[in-house]
Amino acid sequence: MFSKKEANMNETTVDLQLLENLKPELTSYCYRMLGSIEDADDAVQETSIRVWQSWNSFRQESSFKTWVYRIATNLCLDKLRQAKRRILPVDLSDPATSIIEPRETLPDSSWIWLAPDFGENPEDALIRRDTLQLCFIAILQALPPRQRAVLILKDVFEWTSKQISETLGMSPAAVNSALQRARETMDRTKLRSDELSRMDAEPDHELLSRYVDAFEKFDIDALVALFHEEGCMSMPPFPMWIRGKDDLFKFFSLTRWHCEGSRFQPVAVNGGYPALAQYAPNPEDTSILIPWGIHVLEVKDQKILHVQNFINTKLFSRFGLPEQIHR
C-alpha cells in the first residue's frame, strides 16, 4: 500500500509529465499570441515555474490543461500590456524610393519573427499549419490581446466556449461576443503582407535550388530573373524594403561585398514551410561562414513574389542550426 504522501508524490509526477507533454502546443499558442518565439519560450518557462509554485492552489475545479492555459494566457496578456504591436516591414512603410545600403534598424521587439517546428502531433500540425503563416501571425497582432486569445483558442485549437470562458475568466456570452469582434477585425484588416502571401502553398524544390545557386554564385542577373516584375525583399530588423526588379538589382549590387561567398542550409519554419539559412563570410576568418539571416521565399506562379530575410542570429540556435560552417 502507498502512503498518502507517496500517492501525492506520484500524482504530482504524473501531472508534471502532463505539463511537459503540453509544452509544444503551449509554445505554439504563446507564439501566436506574442509573435516572437523568444518571448513564447520565456512565457512557457515562466508558466512552468508558476505551475510548480502554485501547485497547492490547484483545486481541480477545472481541468489541469485549462489551469495551465489560464496561467500562460495571463502571462501573455501581461507581456502584451507593456508591448507595442509587432509587425512586418512591408506593413510599416512603403517600399524604399532611394536604394541605399540599410543602416537604420528597429528593436527586435518591433518585429514578428520566425518559429521552428513545435513538435506537435503531425495531424494537428497539418490542420493548423495555415495559422502559422507569417501573414496570419501579422493579422493576429492587430487584435486586442484578449480577443486574440479567444480567437486562437476557438478557431485554431478548436476549444469550446465553455473551456475558453473557464480559461479566461469570462462568461460564455462574453467569449462569443469577443470572438465575433475578433473575426470581424480579421476579415477587414488589410495588410500588405497578406497581399504578398497569396501565393503557392510553398516554393518548389527547383525554384529553391535556382535561388540557392544564383545567390551562392552571387549572379545578380540570374537572381533578379527569379522574381516577379514587382517582386520584393524585406529584411527585419531593417524597416527598409525593396520592390521591383530594377531596385532589387541595385540593392544586390550594393550588398555584394557582404553577401558574396555566402552559403545556405535548408531549414523548415512556421509549420514546416521550407526556408534557407544564410551563412555569410566572417570578416575575421575567411575560412569560416557565420549566421546572418533566414530567407523565406513566397512564390506565385513559379516566380518569387517576396523574400523575407529575417536577420536575427539568435534564431539559428533556436532552430538547431550550427554556429558556423566552413567554406
Side-chain angles (χ1 to χ4, degrees), residues 48-231:
S48 300
I49 292 168
R50 292 198 185 183
V51 166
W52 178 256
Q53 291 174 338
S54 306
W55 192 258
N56 292 334
S57 68
F58 176 48
R59 303 185 188 282
Q60 298 186 347
E61 293 166 355
S62 60
S63 73
F64 176 75
K65 183 173 182 176
T66 298
W67 181 59
V68 171
Y69 267 82
R70 184 183 306 142
I71 294 171
T73 300
N74 286 333
L75 281 164
C76 288
L77 294 177
D78 286 344
K79 283 178 177 287
L80 291 167
R81 284 189 195 101
Q82 305 163 22
K84 293 182 179 178
R85 173 184 165 189
R86 288 178 180 268
I87 53 175
L88 295 165
V90 295
D91 296 324
L92 177 66
S93 64
D94 289 332
T97 54
S98 177
I99 305 306
I100 57 172
E101 208 173 305
R103 298 290 183 190
E104 177 197 359
T105 62
L106 295 180
D108 284 358
S109 58
S110 303
W111 306 112
I112 293 165
W113 295 104
L114 298 171
D117 179 43
F118 297 109
E120 296 175 301
N121 180 303
E123 291 180 4
D124 291 343
L126 187 64
I127 293 168
R128 299 173 185 171
R129 182 173 174 174
D130 61 333
T131 69
L132 283 169
Q133 287 183 357
L134 289 163
C135 58
F136 184 81
I137 301 297
I139 294 176
L140 280 177
Q141 308 310 301
L143 296 176
R146 193 167 285 272
Q147 286 184 28
R148 195 183 310 175
V150 169
L151 184 130
I152 294 168
L153 290 173
K154 184 67 172 178
D155 287 358
V156 178
F157 287 85
E158 300 181 348
W159 284 26
T160 65
S161 295
K162 182 176 183 293
Q163 285 176 294
I164 298 169
S165 68
E166 290 174 355
T167 300
L168 301 184
M170 302 165 66
S171 69
V175 166
N176 292 333
S177 175
L179 180 63
Q180 182 180 346
R181 295 197 305 275
R183 285 171 174 167
E184 288 170 353
T185 301
M186 293 284 281
D187 287 341
R188 68 171 180 264
T189 299
K190 304 299 180 188
L191 297 178
R192 189 184 274 121
S193 58
D194 190 34
E195 294 172 14
L196 292 174
S197 297
R198 292 174 185 170
M199 54 187 188
D200 301 343
E202 60 183 49
D204 65 60
H205 292 295
E206 183 188 355
L207 183 61
L208 280 174
S209 296
R210 288 163 64 199
Y211 183 82
V212 169
D213 185 60
F215 201 103
E216 291 187 347
K217 291 177 180 174
F218 221 72
D219 182 339
I220 296 175
D221 287 316
L223 197 52
V224 171
L226 298 175
F227 285 80
H228 280 271
E229 201 61 43
E230 291 298 306

